[in-house]
């Protein structure tokens, strides 16, 4: 019973695709319109034909009535053999002349039946009396017959019009209309299928790509979608989304690998020193003091490393809402905090419009890391550390840079110091994890800019980043895992 319930709960396969649905819908709509138009057209044509035939017949009968009322006519006057006979015989009109008592004196072709009503009309005293019979079958054809009295009991004239040919014509028209409607419906179905295939072809590609990602969990799938309509925009957005997801997955993988590598050293040292604690009573007092100092320092460095890893992960997050901010205000706040912590003179210089759309917490963290980097490498300096905010540095960007008079950056380190955990050879004896400027890079990229670093004329270094003035409005996003190229595209790690 449980297995049956599970089978019933399984999603049922789709019986129709969007392409089939579109084609069937197109064909059904076209068929409905075609049938409606065909029925209306046929009814209109049939009505016109029947009305026209009825008008002709009515006019002929009316002409006969007028003649017999105006003149004293005899059956001989309507005989078909008499030259100049009075009645004009239209197409598909049959005339038969009755004499006194209803006797046929000039049969029609074919001969028309004579009923009691027709004989009564032939014997009528009043000229023009008319008797009509509808749907009379004569020689296998359907006629409409009108008998007009000549008056004075002299006889009558029978006028008959054949309607079989008209109905045959209308039936042929009906058959052709049905055939045409069927052809239109089939053509509409084929056209709808072709159009649906053309429209949904790119959607099928997107569906296959999505199913491939779901099946293989591989995000590096290229979506070859072209066009500039809604489907093309959807394809490009889907492709960008996969790229962002793949980049995020790669960043997380690298972060875990790099963090694991960097955490091994302090953890190993901690484990070694902790093992020595078991023999602390056997150690000299000076060694005990050194051991405790090492443990304290290693614990502090490990805490700093974990905090910077958390900051780096937070720097890759898009959860902080963007808002309109002034980078000069952020620089002033960072400078105030740094002055209190380090006791150094930190100067902020600003020029131009330094407002931008961005995430304040991320940008403050980036500026703070730059200042802390400068304080650390210019520990014994006396010249003030400068924070320069310029906007727009070039169209659409604001430039933030921190200038110090420290030892500067070696040329070989310029292209690597923004990498995670990278530390220059002369900086490995200083505290730090090599993540500070990596956070600066991630924040800058997330705001549509780029980090930079170069040697400062007269000694020291200039390290900073740019941000786009409108990228933050759209949420930004880390679009690259590293910045490589010229000296102005890299920096110094702390």
């Amino acid at each position: 019973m449980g297995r049956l319930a599970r089978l019933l709960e399984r999603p049922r396969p789709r019986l129709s695709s969007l392409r089939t649905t579109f084609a069937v819908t197109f064909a059904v709509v076209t068929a409905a319109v075609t049938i409606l138009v065909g029925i209306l057209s046929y009814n209109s044509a049939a009505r016109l034909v029947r009305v026209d035939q009825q008008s002709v017949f009515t006019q002929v009968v009316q002409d006969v009535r007028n003649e017999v009322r105006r003149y004293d006519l005899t059956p001989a006057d309507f005989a078909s053999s008499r030259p100049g006979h009075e009645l004009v015989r239209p197409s598909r009109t049959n005339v038969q002349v009755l004499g006194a008592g209803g006797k046929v004196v000039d049969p029609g072709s074919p001969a028309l039946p004579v009923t009691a009503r027709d004989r009564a009309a032939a014997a009528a005293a009043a000229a023009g009396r008319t008797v009509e019979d509808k749907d009379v079958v004569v020689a296998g054809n359907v006629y409409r017959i009108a008998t007009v009295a000549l008056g004075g009991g002299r006889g009558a004239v029978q006028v008959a019009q054949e309607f079989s040919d008209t109905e045959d014509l209308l039936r042929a028209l009906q058959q052709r209309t049905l055939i045409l409607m069927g052809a239109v419906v089939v053509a509409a179905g084929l056209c709808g299928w072709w159009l649906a295939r053309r429209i949904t072809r790119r959607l099928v590609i997107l569906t296959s790509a999505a199913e491939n990602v779901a099946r293989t969990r591989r995000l590096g799938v290229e979506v070859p979608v072209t066009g500039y309509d809604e489907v093309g925009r959807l394809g490009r957005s889907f492709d960008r989304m996969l790229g962002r997801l793949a980049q995020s997955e790669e960043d997380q993988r690298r972060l875990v690998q790099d963090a694991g590598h960097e955490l091994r050293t302090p953890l190993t040292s901690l484990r070694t020193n902790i093992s020595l604690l078991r023999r602390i009573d056997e150690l000299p007092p000076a060694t005990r003091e050194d051991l405790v100092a090492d443990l304290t320092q290693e614990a502090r460095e490990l805490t700093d490393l974990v905090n910077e890893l958390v900051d780096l992960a937070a720097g890759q997050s898009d959860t902080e809402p963007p808002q309109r901010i002034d980078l000069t205000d952020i620089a002033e706040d960072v400078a105030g905090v740094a002055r209190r912590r380090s006791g150094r003179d930190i100067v902020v210089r600003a020029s131009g419009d330094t407002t931008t759309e961005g995430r304040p917490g991320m940008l403050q963290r980036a500026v703070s890391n730059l200042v802390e980097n400068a304080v650390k490498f210019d520990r014994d300096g006396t010249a003030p550390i400068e924070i320069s905010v310029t906007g727009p540095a070039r169209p659409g960007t604001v430039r933030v840079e921190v200038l110090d008079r420290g030892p500067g950056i070696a040329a070989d380190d310029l292209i690597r110091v923004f990498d995670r955990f990278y530390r220059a050879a002369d900086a490995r004896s200083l505290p730090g994890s090599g993540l500070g400027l990596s956070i600066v890079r991630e924040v800058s990229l997330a705001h549509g800019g780029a980090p930079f670093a170069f040697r400062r004329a007269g000694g020291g270094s200039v390290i900073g980043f740019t941000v786009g003035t409108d990228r933050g409005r759209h949420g930004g996003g880390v679009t690259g895992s590293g910045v490589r190229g010229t000296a102005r595209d890299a920096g110094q790690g702390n």
Side-chain angles (χ1 to χ4, degrees), residues 26 54 57 61 95 109 122 137 150 187 240-241 288 316 367 371 380 404 427 429 431 442 460 464:
F26 189 86
Q54 180 64 36
F57 179 74
V61 173
V95 177
S109 178
V137 178
L150 298 178
R240 286 194 296 269
M241 180 189 71
R288 295 178 186 177
Q316 296 176 343
V367 177
V371 175
D380 299 327
D404 63 60
S429 60
E442 303 291 350

Side-chain angles (χ1 to χ4, degrees), residues 4-16:
L4 178 60
R6 289 193 299 271
L7 289 175
L8 293 176
E9 291 175 357
R10 289 182 181 176
R12 297 180 179 179
R14 298 176 59 188
L15 298 179
S16 62

Side-chain angles (χ1 to χ4, degrees), residues 98-99 101-103 113-126 128-136 144-150 155-158:
L98 302 180
K103 181 180 178 182
V114 179
T115 65
R117 297 176 62 209
D118 299 329
R119 295 188 184 92
R129 176 184 173 184
T130 304
V131 176
E132 288 194 24
D133 293 303
K134 299 179 180 179
D135 300 329
V136 179
R144 175 174 294 177
I145 303 175
T147 303
V148 181
L150 298 178
V157 177
Q158 287 184 302

